[in-house]
């Protein structure tokens, strides 16, 4: 089995169903970008070009951790806590709609203010 996929147990022994790590990252990126005054950090240039601002990692206990690096506008910076909560709710709703059987955790890291 590939480590880049989250495999769901279908209890029918007819095969495996896997959800790609990139699918989780793509859904989380779109959901975070939909929040007003928030942008997902762009990929770096040069040496840091390999750093991904949205990372989905699969834990051995069957949970998925989604970590997002975001930038927030200056006009909304007074409410970091509220904005981060909105991001978490948006991502949680989007991932739950994609696959409700997957337990996950959303971490938000504010990296800059624009």
């Amino acid at each position: 089995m590939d480590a880049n996929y989250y495999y769901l147990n279908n209890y029918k022994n007819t095969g495996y169903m896997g959800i790609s790590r990139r699918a989780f990252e793509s859904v989380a990126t779109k959901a975070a970008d939909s929040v007003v005054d928030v942008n997902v950090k762009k990929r770096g240039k040069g040496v840091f070009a390999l750093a991904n601002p949205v990372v989905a990692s699969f834990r051995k206990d069957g949970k998925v951790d989604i970590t997002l690096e975001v930038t927030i506008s200056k006009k909304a910076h007074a409410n970091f806590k509220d904005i981060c909560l909105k991001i978490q709710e948006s991502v949680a709703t989007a991932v739950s709609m994609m696959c409700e059987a997957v337990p996950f955790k959303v971490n938000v890291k504010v990296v800059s203010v624009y």
Side-chain angles (χ1 to χ4, degrees):
M1 295 213 215
D2 190 357
N4 288 317
Y5 289 88
Y6 182 90
Y7 291 99
L8 298 174
N9 190 350
N10 62 5
Y11 300 107
K12 293 184 181 179
N13 298 327
T14 57
Y16 296 102
M17 180 177 158
I19 302 171
S20 170
R21 179 184 316 272
R22 291 239 172 167
F24 283 104
E25 292 170 354
S26 177
V27 168
T29 301
K30 298 279 188 205
D33 280 338
S34 71
V35 177
V36 178
D37 296 328
V38 174
N39 291 320
V40 174
K41 181 185 168 201
K42 305 295 182 221
R43 265 184 198 239
K45 295 181 180 177
V47 176
F48 299 105
L50 297 177
N52 195 358
V54 180
V55 177
S57 55
F58 305 139
R59 296 182 1 192
K60 290 185 179 185
D61 64 356
K63 295 181 182 174
V64 179
D65 288 336
I66 301 171
T67 304
L68 299 113
E69 294 180 355
V70 298
T71 60
I72 297 178
S73 74
K74 288 181 182 180
K75 59 185 173 183
H77 75 24
N79 300 324
F80 277 155
K81 186 177 179 182
D82 294 335
I83 296 288
C84 290
L85 184 60
K86 286 180 185 177
I87 294 167
Q88 287 178 320
E89 289 172 349
S90 178
V91 172
T93 300
V95 172
S96 293
M97 287 174 53
M98 180 180 85
C99 52
E100 61 189 45
V102 177
F104 60 91
K105 181 172 99 176
V106 179
N107 302 309
V108 177
K109 179 180 179 183
V110 178
V111 292
S112 68
V113 177
Y114 66 94

